Amino acid sequence: MLRGIALALSLIFADAAHAQDLRPYKIENGAINLSLTGKPGDPARGRQIVLERQKGICLLCHSGPFPEERFQGDLAPSLAGVGSRMNAGEIRLRMVDGTKVNPDTIMPPYYRIEGLNRVAPNFRGKPLLNADEIEDVIAFLLTLREDGATGQSK
Amino acid sequence: MGWLALALSLLSVWPAQAQTPQDPRKSGFAYMGRDTQAMQQDDLANPAMLTVLEGEALWTTPTGKAGKSCASCHGEARESMKGVAARYPSLDEASGKPIDLSGRIAQCRETRMEAAPLVREGRDMLALSAFVGLQSRGMPVAPPQDERLRPFREEGARLYTARMGQLNFTCAQCHDANAGQKLGAAPIPQAHPNAYPIYRLEWQSTGSLQRRLRNCMVGTRAEPFSYGSAEFIALELFLMERAKGMTIETPGVRP
C-alpha cells in the first residue's frame, strides 16, 4: 500500500519534472529566434532523429532528399530545400507549435504539452522531442538547401 | 469549429440512396492493391468468411437458460437479418440511446436467451456480427433517420473533428483533407465503415470497426475509447451517416 502510494507520487513528480523541462521561449515576428538550449544543435544527430520512424516520425508525412529511405509520406511539404526557404527561428516555431502559425495545421506540436486532448498515459506530460532534439533537427534541416545539398552533414 | 461545420454541412448534401458515378466518396476497397481486392471478392479466399461460417453455426446453436438459439426467434438469417447491419447503430427504445450491432446481439443473448454475455471483440461476437453483416452485403448503408439519434450523431461529428493524442490530429485531417495521400507507405482511405467486421492483414485476424478506430487512436498517441463506449457508438453513427448510400461489403479485407 505505502509502496503503491510512493510509486504513484514518484510518477506524479516524474511528470511534473517533465513539465518543468520545457524551456521558455519567445515568439517574435513569426519565429522563435533563440535556441531552446542556448546553443546550436548537432546536425548529424538531427538527421538520425528525422529518419527514425518512432522518434521524429517526420517521414510519415514529409518526404525529403533521402533516396535510401522507402515509404516517405506526402501529406506535407517536402523537406528538400527547407533550409533555403526558412531560417532557424521560423523552423523552430513550426516545430515547437505549428498551430501558432496555422491553427488548423496537421503538424504535431513537438514542444508543447498543454492544451492536448486524451494523450495516452505513457506520453502524457512529455513533448514529442526534448529541447536538445529540437535543436539537433533544426541544425540538420538548415543543411537541406536548394543548391543541391543532399542532407549529409559536412 | 470550421471542420465541424463542414462535416455537418456535408451530411445534409449526401445522397440518401445508392452512389452515383459523381460521388466523391470511395470505399477503402478502392485504395487497396489488386491482390487484396481479389482476396475480398472471392469468398473462398477471403479469410473473414471463416468468421462468418462460425457465426452461421452459432446462429442455430441453442445456448443459455432459455434453451434458445438466435434462429429460434429470428429463423432464417438470410430473410430476417437482411438489411439489419446497414441500419446500425440504431435507437434502443428501452434506454433512449443508440446501440450498435454488437450491443444488440449482446442484449438479445442476455435478455432473451439468458446466456452468458459475449465479450466484445471476442471470437463469438465477431462471428455473429460478421454473419449478420453478410446478410446486408450489396445493400446501401441506410442509417435510421430518427430525430432522437441526432444529438448522438452530432457528438460523433464533434469527435471526428476533435484533436486528440500527443500528435494532436483529428480524424478529419487525415481522412477528409488528406484522403488518398500517403502516410508513410500507405494511402489514407476516407474512413468508411461499410465493410466491417474486416479481416485485416496487419492483424492476421478479423476485427470490428472499433478495433480499427482504436488502432488509429493509438497511432496518434491518444488514449483509445473503450469497446462499446458511448464515444465509439457516436462516432459509428456519424460514420454511417457519412457513408449513407455506399455499398455494404461485409466481410471486407483490408491491408
Side-chain angles (χ1 to χ4, degrees):
Chain A
M1 178 67 186
L2 271 179
R3 188 177 291 180
I5 291 170
L7 178 66
L9 283 176
S10 72
L11 286 175
I12 289 165
F13 285 122
D15 263 359
H18 268 292
Q20 287 161 11
D21 272 346
L22 293 202
R23 317 276 172 89
Y25 57 84
K26 205 158 84 188
I27 303 172
E28 292 169 298
N29 305 322
I32 300 172
N33 291 310
L34 297 179
S35 162
L36 297 173
T37 59
K39 53 184 199 282
D42 173 349
R45 274 208 307 263
R47 184 175 203 278
Q48 254 174 4
I49 293 166
V50 167
L51 298 190
E52 243 178 84
R53 302 283 165 151
Q54 292 302 318
K55 186 78 184 169
I57 336 175
C58 308
L59 298 189
L60 206 57
C61 297
H62 294 276
S63 61
F66 320 113
E68 75 281 19
E69 287 292 323
R70 300 177 71 200
F71 305 137
Q72 303 179 26
D74 63 1
L75 333 184
S78 167
L79 297 176
V82 64
S84 302
R85 296 194 297 272
M86 280 185 241
N87 64 33
E90 290 165 334
I91 297 176
R92 190 174 289 110
L93 175 59
R94 281 160 179 79
M95 286 194 62
V96 164
D97 187 358
T99 63
K100 293 285 199 308
V101 179
N102 167 14
D104 294 326
T105 188
I106 196 169
M107 173 81 175
Y110 275 77
Y111 201 65
R112 164 154 77 93
I113 55 174
E114 306 294 333
L116 303 176
N117 217 345
R118 286 193 78 83
V119 176
N122 45 332
F123 294 107
R124 215 168 282 162
K126 299 171 194 166
L128 267 151
L129 295 176
N130 66 34
D132 288 306
E133 291 163 339
I134 298 267
E135 293 304 325
D136 292 343
V137 170
I138 294 167
F140 169 63
L141 293 179
L142 288 171
T143 70
L144 301 180
R145 302 196 55 85
E146 258 151 27
D147 43 34
T150 59
Q152 305 290 344
S153 52
K154 299 189 178 106
Chain B
M1 204 53 214
W3 278 112
L4 179 58
L6 177 68
L8 289 174
S9 69
L10 284 175
L11 276 186
S12 57
V13 301
W14 264 323
Q17 284 311 312
Q19 286 192 272
T20 62
Q22 298 82 32
D23 194 333
R25 294 174 304 165
K26 280 194 219 167
S27 164
F29 183 88
Y31 296 94
M32 314 196 300
R34 285 199 184 165
D35 289 353
T36 319
Q37 290 183 339
M39 190 186 279
Q40 173 174 315
Q41 284 176 314
D42 178 358
D43 280 351
L44 295 176
N46 181 343
M49 284 308 287
L50 296 172
T51 309
V52 168
L53 289 177
E54 284 179 28
E56 186 170 20
L58 286 172
W59 183 262
T60 51
T61 307
T63 181
K65 285 193 204 128
K68 291 186 203 164
S69 71
C70 309
S72 311
C73 295
H74 297 288
E76 265 299 324
R78 232 175 298 272
E79 295 302 321
S80 63
M81 292 295 119
K82 197 174 168 62
V84 168
R87 52 177 189 263
Y88 270 79
S90 65
L91 193 87
D92 178 40
E93 293 287 345
S95 67
K97 289 182 180 162
I99 189 166
D100 63 353
L101 187 61
S102 298
R104 181 67 85 199
I105 292 170
Q107 194 187 56
C108 216
R109 283 184 59 101
E110 281 176 64
T111 58
R112 308 244 157 69
M113 297 161 76
E114 298 172 55
L118 290 183
V119 185
R120 274 192 185 256
E121 218 57 29
R123 191 169 176 147
D124 289 356
M125 178 60 91
L126 286 169
L128 279 169
S129 54
F131 176 63
V132 171
L134 176 72
Q135 313 311 322
S136 297
R137 186 161 71 173
M139 298 178 70
V141 172
Q145 301 302 303
D146 188 320
E147 264 306 297
R148 292 170 294 175
L149 290 171
R150 180 193 287 272
F152 300 98
R153 196 169 277 145
E154 284 175 357
E155 171 64 3
R158 189 191 68 75
L159 290 169
Y160 186 79
T161 51
R163 287 187 180 268
M164 282 181 219
Q166 192 192 39
L167 301 189
N168 205 34
F169 292 160
T170 74
C171 310
Q173 280 181 316
C174 278
H175 298 286
D176 288 350
N178 284 295
Q181 303 292 106
K182 273 198 202 143
L183 189 70
I188 300 177
Q190 294 177 358
H192 292 301
N194 57 317
Y196 287 85
I198 57 165
Y199 183 88
R200 192 171 188 214
L201 300 175
E202 188 182 314
W203 296 333
Q204 297 281 295
S205 66
T206 303
S208 69
L209 174 65
Q210 294 187 11
R211 181 173 179 194
R212 186 64 192 82
L213 294 174
R214 284 173 64 91
N215 283 183
C216 254
M217 293 183 79
V218 169
T220 68
R221 300 184 176 178
E223 185 173 7
F225 298 127
S226 314
Y227 284 113
S229 61
E231 289 94 340
F232 268 155
I233 293 173
L235 263 171
E236 194 166 343
L237 266 173
F238 168 73
L239 291 175
M240 287 295 271
E241 184 70 18
R242 185 171 165 271
K244 184 157 81 179
M246 294 180 73
T247 305
I248 303 253
E249 296 170 19
T250 306
V253 176
R254 293 291 182 268

